[in-house]
């Protein structure tokens, strides 16, 4: 094995933290979705690292990460469609200005 | 040893382009950094001997999701000019919070001892995935298919131009 399990876990943790920052700190809704994608990638790295290092004989880890991939694709499609729909009616994709539910 | 150095280099590149994704002022640059991050993650899947996932990562993330994001950026483009800044007023607090999350996770991963199993990956790992999808995981598999179909139809309905 190339690297110990902890390296992959640290990498996943760092990627997750960066994605978390992107989700909460960005103004643009598309950029927020990019942050979500980063977080999902970090989760997948963790799942596959545990699959490889703890149970390589059981395909469950890989199957689970394929489910994560499929749900991420669905999330991206619906999220971006929502953003385009909001842009059509409000002419903005700035998260701070999308406050219909507040008023 | 050479592979360890390669791991560290690719890890730094991946994390660097992830940081670029979240701080780039220009959304196109953010999208290109995102593609770089996806490619780096695919490299780690290869290192973890999850070849099927590495290919899926390239096809689904770089091929489909990145394209979708670039389309969304182009369709909502006029906003980019008058954006005051890429980050909102809480960026400082959020940066501290994410640094704390990273530190807490790394601390957790150093103190917890996982029982590592040094077995090699079986030769038929990809065949096992396929068998898993039609035996043990057949119901989640079908549910995910329906979820994807519903998301597809929902996305078309949401993004469609409405004519009154």
């Amino acid at each position: 094995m190339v690297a110990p399990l902890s390296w992959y876990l640290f990498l996943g943790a760092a990627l997750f933290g960066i994605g978390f920052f992107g989700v909460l700190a960005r103004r643009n809704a598309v950029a927020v979705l990019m942050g979500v994608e980063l977080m999902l990638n970090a989760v997948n790295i963790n799942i596959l690292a545990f699959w490889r290092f703890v149970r390589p004989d059981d395909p469950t880890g890989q199957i689970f990460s394929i489910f994560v991939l499929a749900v991420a694709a669905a999330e991206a499609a619906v999220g971006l469609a929502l953003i385009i729909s909001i842009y059509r009616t409000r002419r903005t994709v700035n998260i701070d200005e999308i406050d219909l539910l507040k008023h | 040893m050479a592979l360890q150095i390669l791991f560290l280099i690719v890890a730094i590149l991946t994390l660097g382009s992830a940081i670029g994704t979240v701080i780039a002022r220009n959304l196109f640059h953010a999208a290109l950094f995102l593609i770089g991050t996806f490619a780096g993650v695919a490299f780690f899947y290869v290192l973890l001997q999850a070849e099927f996932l590495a290919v899926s990562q390239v096809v689904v993330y770089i091929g489909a999701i990145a394209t979708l994001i670039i389309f969304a950026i182009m369709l909502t483009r006029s906003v980019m000019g008058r954006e005051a800044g890429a980050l909102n007023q809480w960026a400082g607090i959020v940066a501290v919070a994410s640094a704390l999350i990273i530190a807490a996770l790394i601390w957790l991963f150093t103190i917890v001892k996982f029982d590592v199993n040094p077995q090699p990956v079986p030769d038929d790992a990809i065949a096992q995935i396929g068998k898993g999808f039609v035996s043990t995981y057949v119901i989640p598999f079908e549910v995910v298919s329906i979820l994807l179909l519903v998301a597809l139809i929902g996305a078309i309905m949401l993004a469609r131009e409405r004519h009154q």
Side-chain angles (χ1 to χ4, degrees), chain A residues 58-60 63 67, chain B residues 128 130-141:
Chain A
D58 186 341
T60 307
I63 289 173
F67 287 142
Chain B
Q128 280 184 11
K131 282 181 193 139
F133 272 138
V134 290
S135 57
T136 324
Y137 299 98
V138 65
I139 291 171
F141 180 67

Side-chain angles (χ1 to χ4, degrees), chain B:
Chain B
M1 196 58 209
L3 274 172
Q4 265 96 332
I5 294 166
L6 192 65
F7 180 104
L8 291 176
I9 292 170
V10 179
I12 289 164
L13 286 177
T14 308
L15 292 179
S17 72
I19 291 170
T21 308
V22 296
I23 62 170
R25 203 169 259 267
N26 186 327
L27 270 182
F28 266 112
H29 296 171
L32 292 179
F33 277 126
L34 188 71
I35 292 173
T37 315
F38 289 158
V41 172
F43 171 81
F44 292 111
Y45 291 173
V46 173
L47 278 191
L48 285 165
Q49 289 168 281
E51 296 88 356
F52 182 71
L53 257 296
V55 173
S56 315
Q57 168 87 5
V58 172
V59 171
V60 175
Y61 274 106
I62 302 177
I65 293 181
T67 316
L68 211 60
I69 285 175
I70 289 172
F71 265 111
I73 292 169
M74 291 197 290
L75 287 172
T76 60
R77 196 166 181 189
S78 65
V79 189
M80 278 160 59
R82 60 185 167 88
E83 216 178 351
L87 305 173
N88 60 27
Q89 66 266 42
W90 298 287
I93 304 168
V94 175
V96 174
S98 7
L100 280 178
I101 286 177
I102 295 172
L105 283 174
I106 286 177
W107 173 73
L108 203 68
F109 290 143
T110 24
I111 57 162
V112 178
K113 289 280 163 277
F114 302 102
D115 51 341
V116 171
N117 178 356
Q119 262 180 291
V121 174
D123 291 334
D124 61 339
I126 295 175
Q128 280 184 11
I129 300 173
K131 282 181 193 139
F133 272 138
V134 290
S135 57
T136 324
Y137 299 98
V138 65
I139 291 171
F141 180 67
E142 295 299 332
V143 171
V144 164
S145 329
I146 293 170
L147 175 78
L148 275 175
L149 181 67
V150 170
L152 191 78
I153 297 171
I156 294 169
M157 289 294 292
L158 282 170
R160 190 179 54 143
E161 202 103 46
R162 280 180 192 80
H163 298 288
Q164 256 83 27

